Amino acid sequence: MSNIETYYTILNVLPDSDGSVIRGAYKALAKKYHPDTYKGDKKFANEMMQKINMAYQVLNDPIKRQAYDIEIECVNKTKSKEKKQTNKNNADENWEYATQFYPDLVSIADNLLIINKNLSDTFKSEVLKQKAFSYILANRLAIELQNDFLIRNFGQDSIAQQLGLSYLKKGNKVAALELNKALVFFGSEASTKTIEQIISQYGDPRNIKCNDNDSLAIGVFLVFIYVIILIVAGISLS
């Protein structure tokens, strides 16, 4: 039950109580707090009877009770949103304060943000909760959370995990979601065929193709190695 006083808490019944329970609770409370029989403060008894009567008038009438339940639900939703917003603001302030002393936390959180916003938010929350502020502890936590995220979304197959991770890092959420959907639908036993099909449709972001600059650098490096070999060989012959 909520700490907020409602007609249900006044009658000390649950929100899903039926009419007979409500009537029984009303009779018991009316007998207890009736000013003519109550042995305590008469003013308090009168105030209690006013509350009890008002609660009973509403909860004993199906139409009034339905309208009241809707009103209570709206109030609870509003309070829940306000509480979440307050908690979020407090968490944001705490995170900013932590990053003033441990700036490396920002880059770790940003790397997780590329993968998934909830993953990054969870990391921030756990860092504050566990006080894992140092780079070693924070990085270890980030790896654990990322691995758990990959297992939950792409299963135990490491190839599927890396493919899904690559899609997310490249910003191709559609491909990552399609991979997740296919793996869930067909199961881990068909992961190889599933991966092949997804790659044929969305490409393989894990492929690293060398551009012209990369090729030039590799060529220069090979020539350098070749020259070193010739020099060493000449020294050996002499």
Side-chain angles (χ1 to χ4, degrees):
M1 297 288 289
S2 171
N3 292 328
I4 300 174
E5 185 177 72
T6 66
Y7 290 155
Y8 292 104
T9 60
I10 290 173
L11 295 183
N12 197 27
V13 296
L14 296 173
D16 59 354
S17 299
D18 59 27
S20 61
V21 173
I22 290 173
R23 287 189 290 273
Y26 169 73
K27 290 179 180 179
L29 290 172
K31 181 178 180 181
K32 177 180 179 180
Y33 291 105
H34 195 284
D36 294 339
T37 57
Y38 187 69
K39 296 181 180 180
D41 185 4
K42 299 300 181 182
K43 182 179 179 181
F44 173 73
N46 282 321
E47 291 175 352
M48 285 299 301
M49 281 307 303
Q50 288 178 2
K51 289 184 177 181
I52 293 167
N53 287 330
M54 179 62 72
Y56 182 68
Q57 287 176 11
V58 173
L59 300 185
N60 193 48
D61 185 316
I63 296 177
K64 291 181 179 179
R65 181 178 180 179
Q66 184 179 21
Y68 179 72
D69 287 343
I70 294 174
E71 179 184 349
I72 289 296
E73 184 179 0
C74 291
V75 171
N76 288 337
K77 285 183 178 179
T78 300
K79 289 186 177 295
S80 177
K81 288 181 179 179
E82 292 175 350
K83 183 177 180 180
K84 287 181 179 179
Q85 186 60 46
T86 300
N87 291 339
K88 183 179 183 303
N89 291 340
N90 291 338
D92 290 343
E93 290 179 3
N94 291 338
W95 175 254
E96 289 182 9
Y97 185 72
T99 56
Q100 291 179 16
F101 293 87
Y102 299 91
D104 287 339
L105 293 173
V106 177
S107 60
I108 299 176
D110 287 345
N111 288 334
L112 294 177
L113 181 60
I114 296 173
I115 301 172
N116 182 267
K117 183 179 185 303
N118 288 335
L119 179 60
S120 180
D121 290 342
T122 301
F123 168 74
K124 294 178 181 179
S125 176
E126 287 299 314
V127 165
L128 296 174
K129 180 180 178 181
Q130 300 181 24
K131 297 189 181 301
F133 300 118
S134 70
Y135 179 81
I136 294 177
L137 293 177
N139 194 54
R140 183 186 302 165
L141 175 61
I143 293 173
E144 291 175 357
L145 292 174
Q146 178 177 298
N147 289 339
D148 180 66
F149 173 85
L150 294 176
I151 291 172
R152 283 188 287 108
N153 288 278
F154 305 110
Q156 297 286 347
D157 190 307
S158 60
I159 297 177
Q161 291 178 14
Q162 291 305 313
L163 180 61
L165 179 61
S166 298
Y167 280 135
L168 290 171
K169 286 186 174 181
K170 294 291 184 180
N172 195 344
K173 292 184 179 180
V174 174
L177 288 172
E178 192 63 30
L179 176 62
N180 168 266
K181 178 181 177 182
L183 290 170
V184 171
F185 186 85
F186 295 109
S188 58
E189 294 182 359
S191 62
T192 301
K193 186 174 182 62
T194 300
I195 291 170
E196 291 175 353
Q197 181 64 30
I198 295 297
I199 289 176
S200 67
Q201 184 174 355
Y202 295 99
D204 190 346
R206 299 169 301 169
N207 290 337
I208 302 175
K209 298 181 180 180
C210 297
N211 55 33
D212 293 339
N213 291 332
D214 293 332
S215 300
L216 179 60
I218 293 173
V220 171
F221 177 74
L222 291 175
V223 170
F224 174 76
I225 295 297
Y226 180 69
V227 171
I228 294 297
I229 292 174
L230 290 178
I231 294 174
V232 172
I235 294 174
S236 298
L237 292 175
S238 61

